Amino acid sequence: MKIQMVDLKSQYEKIKEEVNAGIQECIDNTAFINGPAVKEFQQEFEKYLNVKHVIPCANGTDALQIAMMALDLKPGDEVICPAFTYVATAEVIGLLGLKPIMVDVDENTFNIAPEGLENYITPKTKAIVPVHLYGQSAEMKKILDFAEKHNLFVIEDNAQAIGSDYTFPDGTSMKTGTIGHIGCTSFFPSKNLGCYGDGGALMTNDDDLATKIRMIANHGQQKKYYHKVLGCNSRLDTIQAAVLNVKLKHLDHYSASRNQMAAYYDENLKEIPEIQVPERAKNATHVFHQYTLKVKNGKRDALQQYLAAKDIPSMIYYPLPLYRQEAFEQYVEEGFSLPVTEKLCSEVISLPVHTEFNQQVSDYIISEIKNFFN
């Protein structure tokens, strides 16, 4: 059997007629830029997230950059972000002349650890970027309290957790990406809600911020050829919006299938002493963008090699802390290290997780992992 990390082909086969019809409609009406499908997706996504404003853009990295531009962050301002995340989170901070302040994460949820954040506050600190890593929410109540205390903007990096719910202590619940001042997401094909190319979006409940975000993403203009600010050109392609319109209808089913596969992994792998299965936060739902194990006793790399020999793909998200990347050397002092991030980079491994749960595939992966540890 051919095993993929994400089985987009099988997913497509089930929605093929809907997707093809949506793409064909875009071609027939030749509205390739800002066509009707973009507006339709924006409105349907707003309903799904229960958020006032969704502003589609070209990709998730653009979304993060536009968010920081909209908040008027200035060169030299400091932005707190986790050190254990994809490069885009910190990359845009540096590109805008801001300084990424990298902090440690929780050992079990992999998300930014609110404890200890006070140690990183300076007069230059202006924002914090919690990343909802692997598919479940960061501890947003504590992060919001911290941000309010220090008058910080909260920019959620929600590229991996679309559809996840976070529940506050008072029982109210919100979708990730709608909790902070601005949420950002990616529609990269392998995401839980992915298109067939690049795409992204920003989310906010603030009317003024929404107006500014739209303007920045459209060359800094509200009225054509009249540019109020320096902006950029970042828009969601109409054909990609047509794909997303179809897939949004199936998103909750996709999340349920991913959870089914994750639960099956859990049940069959939890008794292996050298493995720790993913922890579920009690106040958040997990949408399992990645199913990520921790492998103890230095056996992670050997396990990955063994699985590869058995034609089982796996990925290491992420093998190196951001502060050890050459691109970020200028932002940290020599010898800077975060213990949990260092440990996770040597232990984590992600297994295939699909929107189309296949027990035969899961059984094969599980049996080979057990063979490795026996």
Side-chain angles (χ1 to χ4, degrees):
M1 68 184 82
K2 179 66 173 176
I3 302 175
Q4 307 284 345
M5 281 296 291
V6 181
D7 190 358
L8 294 177
K9 182 67 180 297
S10 295
Q11 184 191 79
Y12 168 66
E13 290 296 336
K14 290 189 176 182
I15 57 174
K16 184 175 183 177
E17 291 185 8
E18 296 174 88
V19 168
N20 289 359
I23 292 173
Q24 189 61 54
E25 183 177 351
C26 293
I27 295 170
D28 290 342
N29 65 30
T30 66
F32 299 118
I33 302 296
N34 290 328
V38 178
K39 185 70 172 178
E40 179 186 347
F41 173 68
Q42 172 198 321
Q43 293 173 340
E44 292 303 313
F45 203 32
E46 287 169 347
K47 293 177 187 176
Y48 177 83
L49 295 172
N50 191 27
V51 69
K52 288 182 71 174
H53 303 283
V54 165
I55 303 96
C57 66
N59 56 69
T61 306
D62 276 8
L64 288 164
Q65 179 171 323
I66 292 166
M68 294 179 196
M69 293 170 69
L71 294 170
D72 290 325
L73 301 182
K74 307 298 184 185
D77 287 347
E78 296 177 354
V79 180
I80 294 172
C81 66
F84 187 67
T85 184
Y86 184 59
V87 66
T89 310
E91 181 180 42
V92 296
I93 299 172
L95 283 172
L96 291 172
L98 313 171
K99 183 178 180 180
I101 303 299
M102 302 172 194
V103 301
D104 221 344
V105 296
D106 181 88
E107 186 171 2
N108 295 311
T109 67
F110 311 113
N111 286 321
I112 195 167
E115 298 75 21
L117 287 177
E118 293 285 347
N119 298 327
Y120 296 90
I121 285 290
T122 77
K124 294 182 178 180
T125 312
K126 302 299 181 184
I128 183 169
V129 186
V131 180
H132 305 307
L133 201 68
Y134 299 151
Q136 74 177 335
S137 179
E139 185 44 80
M140 290 305 296
K141 177 62 167 64
K142 292 181 180 178
I143 290 170
L144 291 177
D145 289 346
F146 169 76
E148 183 177 7
K149 177 181 177 181
H150 296 286
N151 196 29
L152 307 181
F153 293 114
V154 178
I155 305 165
E156 294 176 80
D157 184 336
N158 197 38
Q160 298 187 17
I162 280 294
S164 176
D165 295 303
Y166 176 81
T167 301
F168 288 86
D170 66 2
T172 59
S173 181
M174 297 178 74
K175 293 286 187 188
T176 52
T178 71
I179 303 169
H181 293 89
I182 303 175
C184 304
T185 197
S186 165
F187 302 127
F188 189 80
S190 64
K191 301 299 186 192
N192 291 35
L193 180 61
C195 54
Y196 291 167
D198 274 317
L202 300 96
M203 296 79 73
T204 186
N205 284 301
D206 186 305
D207 295 341
D208 292 336
L209 273 178
T211 298
K212 194 166 186 181
I213 289 167
R214 290 191 185 94
M215 186 166 57
I216 290 170
N218 187 29
H219 294 291
Q221 63 185 346
Q222 287 178 289
K223 181 180 178 181
K224 197 166 186 178
Y225 301 127
Y226 292 83
H227 308 272
K228 297 185 69 173
V229 298
L230 291 177
C232 59
N233 177 27
S234 186
R235 55 199 173 206
L236 180 65
D237 182 86
T238 305
I239 288 177
Q240 302 304 335
V243 173
L244 290 167
N245 276 326
V246 174
K247 295 181 76 172
L248 179 58
K249 299 172 186 175
H250 300 273
L251 180 56
D252 287 342
H253 166 72
Y254 293 159
S255 296
S257 294
R258 288 173 177 270
N259 268 272
Q260 183 183 6
M261 193 168 186
Y264 196 72
Y265 277 142
D266 281 358
E267 186 62 29
N268 289 278
L269 297 175
K270 64 183 180 181
E271 301 303 329
I272 299 175
E274 294 96 335
I275 281 179
Q276 182 175 328
V277 299
E279 180 173 304
R280 276 75 153 170
K282 294 179 179 178
N283 57 348
T285 60
H286 207 314
V287 295
F288 284 100
H289 175 61
Q290 303 295 344
Y291 181 88
T292 303
L293 300 170
K294 289 193 293 183
V295 182
K296 304 171 186 176
N297 301 326
K299 295 184 177 181
R300 191 269 310 275
D301 292 348
L303 172 62
Q304 186 176 46
Q305 293 168 10
Y306 176 84
L307 293 176
K310 302 296 182 178
D311 296 322
I312 298 171
S314 62
M315 292 293 291
I316 296 170
Y317 306 105
Y318 301 93
L320 199 64
L322 285 182
Y323 53 81
R324 293 196 184 279
Q325 300 283 355
E326 186 175 350
F328 295 104
E329 286 179 352
Q330 61 184 302
Y331 300 110
V332 294
E333 296 181 1
E334 187 175 353
F336 178 80
S337 181
L338 298 170
V340 175
T341 295
E342 294 283 345
K343 185 179 180 184
L344 292 179
C345 285
S346 68
E347 290 184 345
V348 296
I349 185 170
S350 298
L351 303 180
V353 60
H354 300 163
T355 59
E356 318 304 314
F357 176 65
N358 184 320
Q359 187 168 327
Q360 182 184 6
V361 169
S362 300
D363 284 341
Y364 176 63
I365 295 170
I366 290 163
S367 67
E368 290 301 339
I369 292 174
K370 288 181 175 180
N371 286 341
F372 173 80
F373 287 105
N374 285 339

